[in-house]
Amino acid sequence: METTPTSKRKPTIRDVAAAAGVSRGTVSRVINGGHWVSPDAKAAVDQAIKTTGYYANAAARSLATGRSNSVAFLLTEPQHLLFADPTFSLLLRGAAQELSQRHMTLVLLVAGTPEEHVNVAQYLGAGHVDGVLLISSHESDPLLESLIATGVPTVACGIPLGHASDMPTVSVDEIVSARTATRHLVERGNQRIGMITGPADTPGGRYRLVGFREELGDNFDPNLVEPGDYSMASGAAAMAALLERAPDIDAVFAASDSMAAGAVGVLRKAGKRIPEDVSVIGFDDSGLALTVEPPLTTMRQPFEQISSEMVGLLLHVIEGGTSKSVTLPTSLVVRDST
Amino acid sequence: METTPTSKRKPTIRDVAAAAGVSRGTVSRVINGGHWVSPDAKAAVDQAIKTTGYYANAAARSLATGRSNSVAFLLTEPQHLLFADPTFSLLLRGAAQELSQRHMTLVLLVAGTPEEHVNVAQYLGAGHVDGVLLISSHESDPLLESLIATGVPTVACGIPLGHASDMPTVSVDEIVSARTATRHLVERGNQRIGMITGPADTPGGRYRLVGFREELGDNFDPNLVEPGDYSMASGAAAMAALLERAPDIDAVFAASDSMAAGAVGVLRKAGKRIPEDVSVIGFDDSGLALTVEPPLTTMRQPFEQISSEMVGLLLHVIEGGTSKSVTLPTSLVVRDST
DNA sequence: GTCAAAACTGTGACCGGTCACAGTTCTATC
DNA sequence: GATAGAACTGTGACCGGTCACAGTTTTGAC
């Protein structure tokens, strides 16, 4: 302990007030924008803050104001899927950035196991955060109920199945996007088009399949549909199943880039050339798309915009504004896999 | 608004006390373990908590106890590198899991830009978290100084250059690991072994090169070393540079799997077969290693253990315990790229 | 020179918990 | 049946801010 300048307890607003020769109230005013305080007083306080090394105590402030200036980024996936999906990372990065610009903090909450569910419910109930960014939600998720019950402001990414109108959402038009992807394959002349879907209890899992089916119309063959869970491994497994059931398959639409990447691996091992023998299109444009050989054609989701819109909406609701939902467009990115 | 049970303000400990017919103190005791309270009183309080829907207010508790029951997961990389590196995700997941088991919360802080640096310093200064998990630190990082200055308990991942003894750390033996990787290539009979290093101002960037050089001894050729920044793109660029400078290169050791993956892409495009023409070994075993074709031989870092040790050490320091550092072993995982 | 409004400042109450301490009841022991 | 100690309970002070309000000074218009 050669250096012991940390010996004393942290300075409080009273210490600063004393040092500056003013009252607590004046110091508080300076901290919060400095309106209605004389230049002299402000200068003295600024100086005192510097010399004392003062930081406003977060807990005390929260207690007094009822605001915490932080929001939760809530993931409800089982752990092993969480970070496998680059989608989350993109949203996380975007949200963190957007929030930090507004001097708010992102608290990452993971509610994978039932045990964690109660932890999280407790945490949110304790008023630890001002709002919640709900990232992935499966149908009839119990957490959704308790979120609605506690009344904490929430914005969902994608429209939670069964709770379409319970909270503001930011989403892409799944059906239109899926139709665009499917049409792209049709226009390329593919005849036997398969699909690897996401879980049926997620909006992306359900509605991308709807779009796929709608676009194919009479050519839709339920035998060419295989479910996955968005992970690369599940994409590989699904592709293997499809290949076995329908060796003549000449194109596949995967509901995520990860699954598309898994599918590509299987196809290559099976001796198929991409796109000559089988075309592959993914969904997300998650950065992974470029690392696959060949680079994936995919439906680009505007993640930057999604996270920024989510934060914007959430803050608006927190401030007491009325809630509304936003739908953003996707775009087809053609690369070498089709 | 068909259901409006959320109308009234949240119940406080006083409401619970009143409902249970006991005092605030007794309620507080029940919440915190229930010692020294009669079974009758405890039952009444438990019941009252349920009927009122009470949750202890986090801010009030923090203010009174001086603890926040949350720790920061602090990243200091520029944004674009952050989530490209799967390493972070692994550590994040591990830490979140470990903390949630102890009913603590993980707060993700990103300090990429200088502006974010001051935000973060402020946040930490405000006592918002009980401790900090410092993930990636470049030499002479200003944030490091302010961390040390504010005296907030911190545990670093990897030994921060220039601050070796200023805080507890959890790390792997970089030099030994790099020697093991290099020896593997030598034992395979490779003669012209190159290396793609990490940034020289990070411990992994510096010491993995040291190990590489030590192991090669007189066979070390500085011409076969090219720096990267751990990203896939930088790995590709470095590999291209090496290939141009030394077309006879027959093996390459990359300081991360991401860079190895980038290198593999370039090698394949250059018509090199892996491992017949050029062997590639990575570092991390980050999950990416398995997605590369061929699957990467790599040095496995025990991320699960690293994050769990970090959390353990940090909590120990927070509780006032003495600090110590931990070094964990890596292991060679041989796959098809060597 | 008067007076009202604007600009500035200080004070006490309050946010919702925890904690130390004092007070009460219950048990066990001699 | 007195007494010590353990088990249990309630009270007031306190954590460190914010806020409403009251009080003081300055400004400007007539």
Side-chain angles (χ1 to χ4, degrees):
Chain A
M1 304 287 170
E2 44 292 63
T3 62
T4 32
T6 60
S7 42
K8 291 159 187 190
R9 77 174 206 305
K10 283 202 179 179
T12 76
I13 202 171
R14 275 145 171 112
D15 298 326
V16 175
V22 299
S23 72
R24 296 161 9 237
T26 300
V27 175
S28 180
R29 267 168 232 129
V30 171
I31 298 171
N32 298 295
H35 299 300
W36 272 326
V37 7
S38 69
D40 281 6
K42 176 157 164 38
V45 170
D46 282 338
Q47 177 60 30
I49 287 177
K50 212 160 274 171
T51 62
T52 53
Y54 169 79
Y55 285 109
N57 179 305
R61 179 174 278 172
S62 288
L63 182 55
T65 59
R67 287 276 308 262
S68 72
N69 287 311
S70 62
V71 312
F73 187 92
L74 177 54
L75 293 167
T76 61
E77 293 286 340
Q79 285 272 357
H80 70 281
L81 289 182
L82 264 191
F83 297 94
D85 191 340
T87 293
F88 294 126
S89 299
L90 288 169
L91 287 171
L92 183 60
R93 163 171 59 171
Q97 192 167 269
E98 191 74 25
L99 283 168
S100 100
Q101 278 169 21
R102 305 171 194 227
H103 297 267
M104 296 192 69
T105 313
L106 194 164
V107 177
L108 179 76
L109 295 182
V110 180
T113 68
E115 188 212 12
E116 285 174 335
H117 266 219
V118 325
N119 268 358
V120 165
Q122 197 136 339
Y123 188 81
L124 297 176
H128 226 303
V129 294
D130 295 332
V132 175
L133 298 169
L134 181 63
I135 298 311
S136 147
S137 68
H138 290 255
E139 192 165 19
S140 75
D141 189 327
L143 208 54
L144 243 173
E145 305 291 343
S146 60
L147 269 178
I148 296 170
T150 59
V152 51
T154 304
V155 172
C157 177
I159 300 168
L161 294 174
H163 293 273
S165 54
D166 286 346
M167 56 181 65
T169 59
V170 175
S171 52
V172 297
D173 191 326
E174 307 281 7
I175 295 181
V176 166
S177 303
R179 292 190 70 149
T180 304
T182 309
R183 190 175 327 122
H184 173 69
L185 295 175
V186 171
E187 283 171 353
R188 285 195 70 261
N190 292 303
Q191 304 281 340
R192 298 282 288 159
I193 306 177
M195 173 161 190
I196 302 174
T197 70
D201 62 348
T202 65
R206 181 174 303 179
Y207 295 117
R208 286 171 204 169
L209 174 57
V210 169
F212 177 71
R213 170 185 300 205
E214 280 184 6
E215 185 66 26
L216 286 184
D218 291 344
N219 292 322
F220 174 75
D221 178 356
N223 206 37
L224 290 182
V225 173
E226 186 70 23
D229 64 5
Y230 294 128
S231 74
M232 185 144 56
S234 78
M239 190 68 243
L242 286 176
L243 223 38
E244 174 137 6
R245 276 214 301 275
D248 62 334
I249 194 169
D250 67 359
V252 62
F253 167 34
S256 77
D257 286 348
S258 301
M259 293 196 295
V264 164
V266 167
L267 285 169
R268 291 175 70 140
K269 250 169 221 148
K272 303 283 189 181
R273 289 167 307 159
I274 301 168
E276 292 82 357
D277 300 329
V278 181
S279 298
V280 177
I281 186 169
F283 204 103
D284 289 343
D285 193 20
S286 68
L288 199 100
L290 278 172
T291 77
V292 178
E293 186 53 40
L296 283 178
T297 293
T298 190
M299 293 304 300
R300 169 163 233 291
Q301 293 209 60
F303 290 111
E304 294 271 309
Q305 250 187 86
I306 291 175
S307 46
S308 130
E309 281 287 348
M310 287 184 73
V311 170
L313 281 186
L314 182 58
L315 262 41
H316 186 245
V317 175
I318 291 174
E319 312 270 308
T322 58
S323 68
K324 59 169 183 179
S325 292
V326 172
T327 305
L328 297 169
T330 58
S331 54
L332 175 66
V333 179
V334 181
R335 297 208 181 86
D336 302 342
S337 69
T338 59
Chain B
M1 303 288 169
E2 44 291 65
T3 63
T4 29
T6 60
S7 43
K8 292 159 187 191
R9 76 171 206 306
K10 283 201 177 181
T12 74
I13 201 171
R14 273 143 173 116
D15 299 326
V16 175
V22 299
S23 71
R24 296 159 13 235
T26 300
V27 176
S28 179
R29 267 169 231 128
V30 171
I31 298 172
N32 299 293
H35 298 301
W36 270 326
V37 7
S38 69
D40 281 5
K42 177 159 163 38
V45 170
D46 282 337
Q47 178 59 32
I49 287 178
K50 213 160 275 170
T51 61
T52 53
Y54 169 79
Y55 285 108
N57 178 304
R61 178 174 279 173
S62 288
L63 182 56
T65 60
R67 287 276 308 262
S68 72
N69 287 311
S70 62
V71 311
F73 186 91
L74 178 54
L75 293 167
T76 61
E77 293 286 339
Q79 286 271 359
H80 71 280
L81 289 182
L82 263 192
F83 297 94
D85 191 340
T87 294
F88 294 126
S89 297
L90 289 168
L91 288 171
L92 183 60
R93 163 170 60 169
Q97 190 168 270
E98 191 74 26
L99 283 168
S100 100
Q101 278 169 22
R102 305 172 193 227
H103 297 265
M104 296 192 69
T105 313
L106 203 180
V107 177
L108 179 76
L109 295 181
V110 180
T113 67
E115 187 211 14
E116 286 175 335
H117 266 218
V118 325
N119 269 358
V120 165
Q122 198 136 337
Y123 189 81
L124 298 176
H128 225 303
V129 294
D130 296 332
V132 175
L133 298 169
L134 182 63
I135 298 310
S136 147
S137 67
H138 289 254
E139 191 164 20
S140 73
D141 190 326
L143 209 52
L144 245 172
E145 306 291 343
S146 59
L147 269 177
I148 297 171
T150 60
V152 51
T154 304
V155 172
C157 176
I159 300 168
L161 295 174
H163 293 272
S165 54
D166 287 346
M167 56 180 68
T169 60
V170 176
S171 52
V172 298
D173 192 326
E174 308 282 6
I175 294 179
V176 167
S177 303
R179 293 190 69 151
T180 304
T182 309
R183 190 174 328 120
H184 173 69
L185 295 174
V186 170
E187 283 171 353
R188 287 195 69 260
N190 291 304
Q191 304 281 337
R192 297 281 289 160
I193 306 177
M195 173 162 190
I196 302 175
T197 69
D201 62 349
T202 64
R206 183 175 301 179
Y207 294 118
R208 287 173 203 167
L209 174 57
V210 169
F212 176 72
R213 174 186 297 206
E214 279 183 6
E215 186 66 26
L216 285 184
D218 291 344
N219 291 324
F220 174 76
D221 178 355
N223 207 37
L224 290 182
V225 174
E226 185 71 24
D229 63 7
Y230 294 129
S231 74
M232 186 143 57
S234 78
M239 191 67 242
L242 285 175
L243 222 39
E244 173 137 7
R245 274 214 302 274
D248 62 334
I249 194 168
D250 67 359
V252 63
F253 167 33
S256 78
D257 286 347
S258 300
M259 293 196 295
V264 164
V266 167
L267 286 169
R268 292 175 70 142
K269 250 168 222 147
K272 303 284 190 180
R273 289 167 309 159
I274 300 169
E276 292 82 358
D277 300 329
V278 180
S279 298
V280 177
I281 186 170
F283 204 103
D284 289 343
D285 193 20
S286 67
L288 199 100
L290 278 173
T291 76
V292 178
E293 187 51 42
L296 282 178
T297 294
T298 190
M299 294 304 301
R300 170 163 232 291
Q301 294 209 59
F303 290 112
E304 293 272 308
Q305 250 188 83
I306 291 175
S307 47
S308 131
E309 281 286 348
M310 285 183 74
V311 169
L313 281 187
L314 182 58
L315 262 41
H316 186 245
V317 174
I318 291 173
E319 313 270 303
T322 57
S323 68
K324 61 170 182 179
S325 292
V326 173
T327 305
L328 297 169
T330 57
S331 53
L332 176 66
V333 179
V334 180
R335 298 207 182 88
D336 303 342
S337 69
T338 59

